[in-house]
């Protein structure tokens, strides 16, 4: 159990286009999902916390108008990178928290590799 | 400031050998500490989790220790295998649920 999927697993796009990444909890309902970004040889950096049915909470320095997050259902959150630029190229990872579990466990997705040309 | 530091940054060992990775943290209020394994291009996978009152936890060839007094943790890998090559991330959870990630240790196991 506790499986989180992401789609797509990788995407290449042209500068200026928008890219949507999906994060799904496959076998549990996630009231809270998290979006992370990871640059090469660095650890995960939290971008935003997404709560179902409400606006996302963004970390300091993360542009909410550039990284649009929608958590429309208990099993799906989406991250849209708007007007992507080469500096947005990174590995994006989501996680989902199943309410009521021990230790406030977050289950991580496999990640999405974004390359902006 | 909440911080998690890991050492070494990278490590190369021969297959079959043991190794120990270190994690020091300054996180308050402390909830729990996790070790994750992250293969290249994949999401992190949980290895162990320990609360304040636990000082050791094993998962197969992985054994984690926690000293809450000195705020240190270690991950010991026994009889390493080629498949152990990955990044190992120490994550300390600050109440209520925020994760503080360490910088990771990149382990390479050679045949």
């Amino acid at each position: 159990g506790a499986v989180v999927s992401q789609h797509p697993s990788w995407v290449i796009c042209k500068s200026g286009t928008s890219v949507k990444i999906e994060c799904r909890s496959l076998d549990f309902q996630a009231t809270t999902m998290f979006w992370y970004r990871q640059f090469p040889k660095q650890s995960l950096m939290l971008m935003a916390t997404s709560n179902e049915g409400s606006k996302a909470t963004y970390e300091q320095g993360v542009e909410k108008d550039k990284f649009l997050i929608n958590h429309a259902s208990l099993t799906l959150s989406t991250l849209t990178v708007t007007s992507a630029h080469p500096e947005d190229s990174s590995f994006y990872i989501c996680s989902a928290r199943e309410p009521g579990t021990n230790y406030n466990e977050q289950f991580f997705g496999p990640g999405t590799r974004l390359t902006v040309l | 400031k909440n911080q998690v530091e890991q050492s070494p940054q990278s490590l190369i060992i021969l297959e079959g050998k043991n190794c120990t990775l270190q994690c020091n943290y300054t996180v308050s209020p402390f909830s729990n500490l996790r070790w994750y394994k992250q293969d290249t291009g994949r999401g992190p996978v949980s290895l162990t989790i320990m609360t304040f009152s636990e000082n050791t936890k094993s998962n197969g060839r992985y054994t984690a220790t926690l000293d809450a007094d000195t705020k240190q943790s270690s991950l010991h890998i026994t009889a390493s295998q080629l498949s152990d090559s990955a990044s190992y991330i120490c994550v300390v959870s600050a109440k209520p649920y925020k994760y503080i990630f360490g910088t990771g240790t990149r382990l390479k196991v050679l045949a």
Side-chain angles (χ1 to χ4, degrees):
Chain A
V3 178
V4 176
S5 70
Q6 283 184 240
H7 178 80
S9 55
W10 59 270
V11 56
I12 302 173
C13 68
K14 292 182 179 180
S15 186
T17 60
S18 294
V19 175
K20 179 185 283 189
I21 302 170
E22 293 185 349
C23 176
R24 293 181 185 273
S25 56
L26 298 184
D27 50 4
F28 67 98
Q29 293 185 328
T31 52
T32 304
M33 289 185 171
F34 304 86
W35 285 96
Y36 296 87
R37 182 166 52 181
Q38 185 177 33
F39 292 106
K41 298 185 179 181
Q42 295 186 22
S43 196
L44 281 72
M45 292 180 57
L46 180 65
M47 299 175 65
T49 301
S50 167
N51 292 298
E52 186 266 338
S54 64
K55 291 183 178 180
T57 302
Y58 290 81
E59 294 298 300
Q60 193 172 11
V62 178
E63 299 175 58
K64 61 180 180 181
D65 294 330
K66 180 167 185 63
F67 298 99
L68 301 179
I69 291 173
N70 185 285
H71 192 161
S73 78
L74 288 172
T75 59
L76 173 65
S77 177
T78 60
L79 168 68
T80 301
V81 183
T82 62
S83 186
H85 290 283
E87 57 264 31
D88 297 325
S89 298
S90 188
F91 192 53
Y92 292 86
I93 302 175
C94 73
S95 70
R97 189 167 69 96
E98 183 179 12
T101 56
N102 291 333
Y103 311 119
N104 295 311
E105 190 75 35
Q106 289 183 32
F107 300 97
F108 289 87
T112 296
R113 172 77 58 193
L114 170 63
T115 301
V116 184
L117 302 177
Chain B
K1 182 182 178 183
N2 289 331
Q3 271 187 314
V4 178
E5 295 183 347
Q6 293 185 241
S7 61
Q9 272 191 332
S10 60
L11 183 62
I12 300 175
I13 61 173
L14 293 177
E15 187 179 15
K17 298 296 185 182
N18 304 335
C19 67
T20 300
L21 314 180
Q22 301 291 340
C23 172
N24 297 331
Y25 63 92
T26 53
V27 175
S28 181
F30 176 88
S31 178
N32 50 66
L33 185 146
R34 295 172 167 85
W35 282 93
Y36 284 90
K37 178 185 179 186
Q38 184 180 21
D39 292 313
T40 301
R42 306 293 294 173
V45 175
S46 180
L47 295 175
T48 63
I49 179 170
M50 289 179 291
T51 60
F52 185 88
S53 59
E54 297 173 297
N55 54 25
T56 187
K57 186 73 70 78
S58 291
N59 178 1
R61 295 180 295 103
Y62 301 102
T63 299
T65 64
L66 173 64
D67 185 332
D69 291 331
T70 61
K71 299 185 177 180
Q72 296 180 326
S73 176
S74 66
L75 180 69
H76 187 74
I77 304 175
T78 305
S80 61
Q81 300 176 358
L82 297 178
S83 58
D84 292 332
S85 295
S87 287
Y88 292 83
I89 306 173
C90 175
V91 180
V92 180
S93 181
K95 293 179 179 178
Y97 58 74
K98 186 163 187 170
Y99 278 22
I100 313 298
F101 287 80
T103 50
T105 293
R106 289 189 300 281
L107 174 65
K108 180 71 174 177
V109 181
L110 301 178

